[in-house]
Amino acid sequence: MTEESQKEKLRQHFARRVTTQARVVLDTWQKIHSDHTLAADHREELATAADKLVRYAQRFEMASHADAGQQVLALMADWPAGEAPGEPLWPRLQEAMDQLGRCTLRRTDHQNSEAPQQYRRTPIYIALGNDEMSSRLIRQLEFFGFRASAFDNGDSLIEACALNKPETILMDVNFGGAANAGIATIERLQAQHDTPIPIIYVSEEDGSIETRLRASRSGGEEFFHPAVDPGQLIEKIETYTHGNAVEPYRVLVLDDSKAQAKYMETVLKKAGMTSHIITDPMQIIHALDAFSPEIIILDMYMPGCTGMEIARVIRQQDRFHSVPIIYLSAEDDISKQLHAMSLGGDDFLTKPIDPKHLIATLHNRGRRARSLLALMIRDSLTGLYNHTHTLHLLEQEIVRARKKDQPLCFAMIDIDYFKKVNDTFGHPIGDRVLRSLSMFLKQRLRKTDHIGRYGGEEFAIILPGTRLSDARNVLNEIRERFSELQQPAGDREFKVTFSCGVAAWRGESAQALCERADRALYVSKAQGRNCVNVADD
């Protein structure tokens, strides 16, 4: 080995150490962001990890990582110990983490043509006893941004979980050869962790009720018989991982008492929720328009009006018709409480408010409201925005782009020869292809981008703040990677490609922008498919 190659090997070793530490920072942040109630508990852990990253990066002369880590530390100086970050701090911290993520995913070897992997915060562990199936699954998972590891015995799996707790485990019921040996391994494993790890069980046998109950009691979220193909398993793994952090609930509070309003603001902030407090009932319309709350808390009795009257005004606006309204009052007359709820309210909490009761109520109401909203605006097969809501989002982004004088791009994607896929492999496999592309897009585009299922095998993507050249490059890279993905169909595998048309907003209406992107898509189809074309100005 030459001296130069030794130096290069050493450089790569140091780079891996810095990258590994960067991922520790990102993993800790993801843990906080996926459950805001844990923010205070993990603050010091995040600070320690970021400080270690800066020291490593400076020592090994990796300036971009050092700068990103220093930015995180600077922001954390404004984060009080024992509390969740204040509302202005969340997006700034997320922006710093995004910058660090880009550093971590940046290609360091320019000869490597493979796109950087966007790994999830923790791995997926596979314990199947079938090496071929395990390898096939790992390859598929890596395409979707997961980091997966396979194990051939229970002891090594338990040891790995002690070092790095996984997002989920895919476990053969009889892993190890003996009946229910896999369940026994999971029972031993779960006993070592305070919170259970979600388990996806697979079995070649149907399984008795005793086996299924034991599997469920050990943390089993799914029990597949017969063993399913990689595509279906990956969809389930996606369900039980936390790569997509839950956004904090937006809560509007109207209470004429400034002391009570301040108390509510403190409680909501500690719970990691985003609050907007007003004390003047006459400001309610402006607050609704400016804040777009997901949950509304109203004091029952205020000077000049009652909470019931405010609730009726709110319910007269269609877009707030299904937003949960919770009354706060010292009123303990059940008849009056029921009457208040009949006039537009959904729940009634009696003062003095128990913080735990309040937060539990908000979580329950918010979760249900989001579920109902998703039914209205999302496609049931892919979970992406439906056609109508996609166009609504495009109109909103056009207004924002015009106001801020920022670029905006819109893309149309169409899966090539999709009818042939359905005719050859059947509609269930075709549906799985649609879901695989939707997952692929979600994991490779930004949170600020909007992805919709436009209809059939067509998808639409809104890219705010993006120049045409950047949009084309991003979508072309996604197209190349997706075309390499093996789509499973029983014992067979096949590949699928897509065509794409991209248009930059030039001041026209949403409909005109859609038509230009659609024409660019038609050009891609005419040129032989599996390519990206941009619309002419």
Side-chain angles (χ1 to χ4, degrees):
M1 181 179 290
T2 65
E3 182 179 351
E4 190 62 32
S5 62
Q6 285 180 327
K7 288 182 179 178
E8 176 60 20
K9 187 174 182 180
L10 190 62
R11 187 192 67 79
Q12 291 179 2
H13 170 72
F14 289 156
R16 283 195 296 271
R17 288 186 64 179
V18 175
T19 300
T20 299
Q21 186 59 33
R23 284 185 177 148
V24 171
V25 175
L26 294 171
D27 290 352
T28 307
W29 171 250
Q30 189 64 49
K31 197 185 305 178
I32 292 170
H33 203 276
S34 63
D35 187 349
H36 287 202
T37 61
L38 301 175
D41 296 338
H42 291 290
R43 180 190 178 279
E44 291 307 314
E45 181 184 349
L46 180 63
T48 301
D51 179 69
K52 192 173 183 180
L53 168 66
V54 171
R55 287 188 284 108
Y56 275 14
Q58 289 175 338
R59 179 181 175 188
F60 303 138
E61 298 181 351
M62 296 178 66
S64 60
H65 288 78
D67 291 344
Q70 287 172 331
Q71 185 179 350
V72 172
L73 288 175
L75 290 171
M76 291 193 68
D78 297 329
W79 177 354
E83 298 182 14
E87 171 52 29
L89 200 55
W90 278 111
R92 293 168 64 196
L93 277 167
Q94 183 61 59
E95 185 178 342
M97 294 301 170
D98 290 343
Q99 179 184 338
L100 177 59
R102 288 191 292 272
C103 295
T104 305
L105 298 173
R106 190 169 294 152
R107 303 178 202 182
T108 55
D109 182 359
H110 295 287
Q111 295 178 350
N112 181 9
S113 61
E114 191 173 2
Q117 291 294 322
Q118 300 184 25
Y119 287 122
R120 292 298 184 92
R121 64 185 180 96
T122 46
I124 310 300
Y125 288 161
I126 299 172
L128 294 181
N130 182 328
D131 292 342
E132 182 182 351
M133 174 61 82
S134 296
S135 298
R136 187 179 173 193
L137 266 172
I138 289 173
R139 288 197 305 271
Q140 294 287 95
L141 284 164
E142 287 177 349
F143 265 100
F144 287 100
F146 293 97
R147 177 160 49 104
S149 299
F151 297 85
D152 56 12
N153 65 79
D155 290 338
S156 61
L157 172 65
I158 292 173
E159 182 181 349
C161 289
L163 293 172
N164 193 3
K165 187 177 179 181
E167 288 277 16
T168 189
I169 298 173
L170 181 63
M171 170 63 75
D172 191 322
V173 167
N174 298 328
F175 181 65
N180 295 338
I183 301 179
T185 296
I186 294 299
E187 289 170 340
R188 289 167 51 206
L189 189 156
Q190 300 283 34
Q192 299 180 9
H193 296 273
D194 294 333
T195 55
I197 300 169
I199 311 298
I200 300 175
Y201 281 109
V202 297
S203 176
E204 293 298 331
E205 303 170 358
D206 189 14
S208 64
I209 182 62
E210 290 82 6
T211 297
R212 288 175 175 259
L213 279 172
R214 186 178 174 187
S216 177
R217 288 166 180 163
S218 68
E221 300 286 353
E222 301 283 346
F223 191 104
F224 284 119
H225 163 75
V228 290
D229 64 42
Q232 194 171 353
L233 283 173
I234 288 171
E235 289 174 16
K236 288 299 179 183
I237 288 171
E238 167 77 6
T239 303
Y240 296 108
T241 59
H242 304 90
N244 299 317
V246 177
E247 292 297 318
Y249 293 113
R250 298 190 310 278
V251 185
L252 174 63
V253 180
L254 169 56
D255 196 314
D256 67 300
S257 167
K258 292 184 179 180
Q260 179 69 21
K262 183 65 177 177
Y263 171 73
M264 294 290 292
E265 184 178 28
T266 302
V267 170
L268 295 173
K269 181 180 178 181
K270 285 186 175 180
M273 297 185 183
T274 303
S275 63
H276 183 74
I277 311 296
I278 57 174
T279 56
D280 181 1
M282 299 302 108
Q283 295 296 317
I284 188 66
I285 298 299
H286 174 73
L288 291 172
D289 291 338
F291 186 61
S292 296
E294 295 178 279
I295 309 170
I296 300 170
I297 299 177
L298 299 178
D299 190 13
M300 271 283 287
Y301 301 112
M302 295 172 288
C305 65
T306 67
M308 294 177 289
E309 292 174 320
I310 293 293
R312 291 182 65 183
V313 169
I314 293 172
R315 294 299 188 217
Q316 290 170 358
Q317 302 180 64
D318 288 343
R319 65 193 181 106
F320 296 113
H321 193 74
S322 60
V323 173
I325 294 177
I326 300 171
Y327 293 118
L328 297 183
S329 176
E331 180 63 70
D332 57 4
D333 187 316
I334 299 298
S335 297
K336 291 183 179 179
Q337 290 182 6
L338 292 174
H339 176 64
M341 286 190 285
S342 72
L343 297 176
D346 296 282
D347 219 326
F348 199 107
L349 297 182
T350 305
K351 298 179 181 179
I353 307 299
D354 179 356
K356 291 183 179 179
H357 188 186
L358 171 65
I359 297 305
T361 300
L362 293 176
H363 274 295
N364 292 335
R365 291 292 178 182
R367 189 161 47 241
R368 179 169 175 76
R370 284 186 176 180
S371 296
L372 292 173
L373 180 63
L375 291 175
M376 294 187 287
I377 67 173
R378 292 191 180 273
D379 168 60
S380 60
L381 177 66
T382 62
L384 302 177
Y385 294 121
N386 59 28
H387 180 100
T388 301
H389 194 67
T390 300
L391 292 179
H392 171 68
L393 290 171
L394 180 59
E395 289 172 350
Q396 285 187 326
E397 292 297 346
I398 286 176
V399 171
R400 188 174 289 112
R402 181 178 287 114
K403 182 178 180 180
K404 297 184 176 182
D405 192 26
Q406 292 180 341
L408 171 68
C409 286
F410 180 75
M412 295 284 293
I413 285 176
D414 187 89
I415 297 177
D416 299 326
Y417 303 110
F418 187 68
K419 183 178 184 301
K420 185 177 179 181
V421 172
N422 282 332
D423 292 344
T424 304
F425 302 103
H427 287 276
I429 298 298
D431 288 347
R432 195 164 299 149
V433 169
L434 293 172
R435 289 194 294 267
S436 72
L437 178 54
S438 68
M439 196 189 315
F440 213 78
L441 293 170
K442 283 188 290 185
Q443 292 182 343
R444 281 161 172 77
L445 292 169
R446 304 167 302 179
K447 286 186 178 181
T448 53
D449 300 326
H450 307 296
I451 314 167
R453 186 182 178 196
Y454 210 65
E457 65 270 27
E458 279 192 327
F459 294 76
I461 302 172
I462 304 168
L463 300 149
T466 306
R467 295 174 301 178
L468 185 59
S469 59
D470 293 332
R472 179 185 57 205
N473 292 339
V474 167
L475 290 166
N476 202 42
E477 185 169 291
I478 292 174
R479 178 196 59 78
E480 290 176 358
R481 293 290 289 160
F482 186 73
S483 68
E484 298 169 6
L485 176 61
Q486 293 285 351
Q487 302 284 348
D491 296 332
R492 303 169 61 187
E493 289 184 335
F494 63 99
K495 294 182 179 180
V496 176
T497 63
F498 67 72
S499 302
C500 179
V502 191
W505 178 64
R506 298 289 184 245
E508 73 268 57
S509 67
Q511 182 179 351
L513 179 59
C514 290
E515 289 173 355
R516 288 204 298 119
D518 196 44
R519 287 196 295 271
L521 172 61
Y522 180 81
V523 172
S524 294
K525 291 284 188 181
Q527 289 180 350
R529 297 177 169 82
N530 191 21
C531 61
V532 177
N533 268 281
V534 298
D536 294 332
D537 293 342

